Amino acid sequence: MKINVIGAGLGGLLSAASLAVEGHEIEVFERLPITGGRFTNIEYHGFSLSTGALHMIPHGSTGPLGNLLRKIGADVEIVPCEPMAMIRIPANGSNNYKSGFKDISFNQYGSQFSMWNRLKLAILLVTTRRWPPKNISFENWIRKYLNEDSAHKTANSFCGWALSLTNRDVPAEEAFEIFENLYRYGGTGIPMGGCKGVTDALVEIIRSNGGKIHKSTEVSQIIVENNTARGLIADGKKHYSDVIISNIGHPFTRDLYDSGTINNAYEEKIDNAKPSAGIKICLASEEPLIGHNGILLTPYCRRVNGINEVTNTDPNLAPAEKHLVMAHQSVQQEKIDKLEEEIEIGLQDLKEVFPNKKYEVILTQSYYDGWPVNRASSGSDIGNTTPINSLYVVGDGAKGKGGIEVEGVALGVMNTLDIIKQ
Ligand code: FAD
């Protein structure tokens, strides 16, 4: 089959590489002069910063992405995070980090609850796996069953780090699907070489299997005849194919064609799928600020949800003797026009999290609208099919259920490949 792919982000490259390995004729069209989309590196004074992701793979080498990379022979090493995550809690029962703090492991987090809540948590961990909660937000679920302020804060910090949402915006069902996947696949990992280590390996597979990647080539139209995608127009030229895979999300894909009819159900789903926004602050330091390669969740910060220090896995992501530390904070839609204030609060948070430590802020980045943290916030994904035959959407606007970020991208790609092969 001849397959055209719109966009060389992770989803587009994963689809293209998987299909190229199976012997299909592949052409990828990318409007930017680089490949990788929000999953590649930006070199800055010897630091490998990134176009989006925090150089982390939610389920490491044993999750959907790790498994798919292995299946297609991608030359990527994913190092497990040990510990997976620590939680920074204030000392002396205070409500902030100003008078001190301690870090406890994610697995032992429940031990600081009251005896009654510990018992309830143990029962809930079993019952929710069997009967996942329906029609309730994660926030309301926690308030209903645990009534612990610290549990609410930690859930918020986890959702902010993993999904760039508050726990109010995450359906409890989706949150438990994510926890289920943590049991099923295991915890986080960091790819050697960071995000670019992964996307460059996929580019290599596509090219070595005869696929073509056209950079700096924007797709301006999808050619639709009789409700079926026949090809696309890029740089004024027509490129015909049997199948089109779009990596640019459902709304931008829909804007590229005119099928002559409006599918109201599809339009409604597009309206309901909201992107999630966030801010990333990159720090450089000479001494380790965290000291391990897992996530440091910071539930008592006003804005920062979590922080990592990827140089504890791959020292080459920073110049010799330096560390790269990245902090993430979610941004609510109503705060998008106040990004500078949000960044300032995040910077103040970091001073409290790292008192008496010397570091330099090397970059602050904000992500929203067309370059968000997630094109469809978790729980609002639309799926991989479109109302047009032979036109599919992959990427984080079309993730698989319970798949955190790039794991959801991989699940969506696998689903799309299955449909195409039917
Ligand atoms: P995208 O990255 O959206 O790529 C789409 C590509 O299509 C782009 O290259 C774009 O230029 C191109 N394009 C658009 N329009 C056209 C057109 N008309 N013609 C041709 N090309 C076009 N995930 C994790 O798993 N771990 C993390 O640590 C993590 N941290 C994150 C932190 C931040 C701050 C952000 C922003 C994201 C983070 N994510 C993380 C999410 C992860 O980066 C994304 O889910 C993933 O990279 C999305 O990939 P995608 O397949 O949707 O493609």
Side-chain angles (χ1 to χ4, degrees), residues 5-14 28-40 50-59 65 161-162 164 188-189 195 199 214 216-221 233-234 246-249 252 256 276-281 308 326-329 365-368 370-375 394-399 404-410 413:
V5 178
I6 307 173
L10 181 68
L13 293 174
L14 265 180
V28 182
F29 300 84
E30 167 57 55
R31 68 174 175 184
L32 297 177
I34 56 165
T35 53
R38 285 169 286 150
F39 210 78
T40 190
S50 88
T51 49
L54 297 135
H55 295 316
M56 269 197 155
I57 298 186
H59 300 301
L65 178 59
W161 172 268
S164 217
T188 41
C195 301
T199 44
H214 308 279
S216 303
T217 307
E218 181 158 1
V219 173
S220 57
Q221 195 184 322
I233 301 180
S246 169
N247 187 204
I248 66 175
F252 291 120
L256 288 181
S276 59
I279 290 169
K280 187 171 72 187
I281 302 178
N308 67 6
M326 292 180 285
H328 180 76
Q329 61 193 75
Q365 293 162 292
S366 46
Y367 297 88
Y368 57 99
W371 203 262
V373 180
N374 260 289
R375 286 193 197 284
V394 296
D396 67 5
K399 298 185 290 299
I404 306 179
E405 301 190 320
V406 294
E407 305 294 3
V409 172
V413 167

Side-chain angles (χ1 to χ4, degrees), residues 58-59 62-64 84 106 123-133 138 158 163 170-187 401-404 407 411:
H59 300 301
T62 47
M84 180 183 88
F106 193 70
I123 297 167
L124 287 166
L125 283 176
V126 177
T127 52
T128 48
R129 287 186 83 177
R130 205 172 159 82
W131 298 285
F138 193 31
F158 176 80
L163 310 171
V170 179
E173 193 181 356
E174 180 71 12
F176 283 100
E177 193 80 39
I178 287 170
F179 293 137
E180 187 61 35
N181 280 344
L182 275 174
Y183 288 118
R184 189 180 299 147
Y185 299 121
K401 214 168 184 316
I404 306 179
E407 305 294 3
L411 288 172

